[in-house]
Amino acid sequence: TQKLDAALANMIGGYGEKAPGLAVIVYKDGREVYRNMMGNRFLSPRNKNWNLPMTSESRFRVASISQIFTATGYLQLAEEGKINLDEDVSRYLGFTLRNPNYPHKIITSRMLLSHTSSIRDYPTAYVPFKSNVRSFFTSSDCWTKNKAPGSYFSYSNLNFILLATIAEKVSGQRFDKYITKNVLKPLD
């Protein structure tokens, strides 16, 4: 544990590549074998007295961590043979999904999962509330202009909105209910 403590402490710094704080709990064979909270859960550049330490009660925004659960549920559907990772996702979506700059290049689930679809988080990282997935992706400027689907990595949350939409269609369940039943509940 001393080596792990030292390695984690080396990650703390608050700026640049360092994290302001972290919380680590390790389980082995169903029981907790390590617990450590380090650094701060809140940093104030204006007043160091406002800095709050990380505790076991600190809460974290899930943000991109939810992509792990989306991918897990999605890959379960692939394992069941309901999704082919290398097939055109248009088949599952019910509309043609294409980068208008590369209209003949299909976009696959594998591209969405690996952030190589040529979709970017612009003008927004989400589908606006009063929009729908089809209209957003056929009218939005969320496409790269100089890189074809499958040719390079560009992190984009929008990929996972499409994956969740496909998971709903393929499973016949609302996405949150599908993930709860098939990923979260089995993890307890």
Side-chain angles (χ1 to χ4, degrees):
T1 59
Q2 289 177 339
K3 284 183 181 179
L4 182 55
D5 287 345
L8 294 172
N10 193 42
M11 296 177 185
I12 303 296
Y15 300 99
E17 293 181 12
K18 303 278 185 168
L22 55 82
V24 177
I25 302 174
V26 177
Y27 284 85
K28 183 177 181 183
D29 299 323
R31 66 181 194 58
E32 185 178 310
V33 295
Y34 180 84
R35 175 183 288 249
N36 198 341
M37 287 64 191
M38 298 179 161
N40 294 292
R41 67 179 189 258
F42 181 81
L43 289 175
S44 171
R46 292 181 298 184
N47 186 340
K48 298 224 181 276
N49 292 327
W50 293 350
N51 294 354
L52 302 173
M54 187 68 65
T55 71
S56 61
E57 300 301 314
S58 297
R59 299 290 180 240
F60 295 85
R61 289 187 56 206
V62 175
S64 294
I65 298 300
S66 65
Q67 292 180 11
I68 295 167
F69 299 101
T70 302
T72 300
Y74 199 86
L75 292 171
Q76 287 173 341
L77 292 167
E79 284 180 341
E80 294 169 11
K82 295 178 180 177
I83 294 172
N84 178 332
L85 297 179
D86 297 308
E87 191 168 2
D88 185 347
V89 294
S90 301
R91 171 182 173 220
Y92 306 110
L93 289 168
F95 65 90
T96 302
L97 181 72
R98 293 287 187 277
N99 180 326
N101 304 294
Y102 300 91
H104 302 295
K105 180 74 174 158
I106 69 166
I107 295 171
T108 67
S109 297
R110 192 176 305 276
M111 290 175 190
L112 294 172
L113 286 160
S114 64
H115 298 278
T116 59
S117 66
S118 77
I119 296 170
R120 60 194 176 125
D121 283 346
Y122 180 84
T124 178
Y126 58 90
V127 176
F129 178 68
K130 294 198 176 192
S131 186
N132 67 48
V133 172
R134 180 181 192 156
S135 65
F136 179 82
F137 284 98
T138 55
S139 66
S140 177
D141 188 26
C142 64
W143 301 98
T144 59
K145 293 178 177 35
N146 57 354
K147 300 284 185 177
S151 68
Y152 80 108
F153 172 87
S154 179
Y155 184 88
S156 175
N157 294 290
L158 292 171
N159 289 307
F160 281 77
I161 290 170
L162 287 166
L163 292 166
T165 301
I166 294 168
E168 281 188 339
K169 289 182 181 273
V170 170
S171 71
Q173 297 176 55
R174 210 172 71 191
F175 179 71
D176 62 318
K177 293 187 181 297
Y178 175 80
I179 293 297
T180 298
K181 178 182 175 191
N182 295 284
V183 179
L184 299 176
K185 285 224 186 232
L187 290 172
D188 194 26

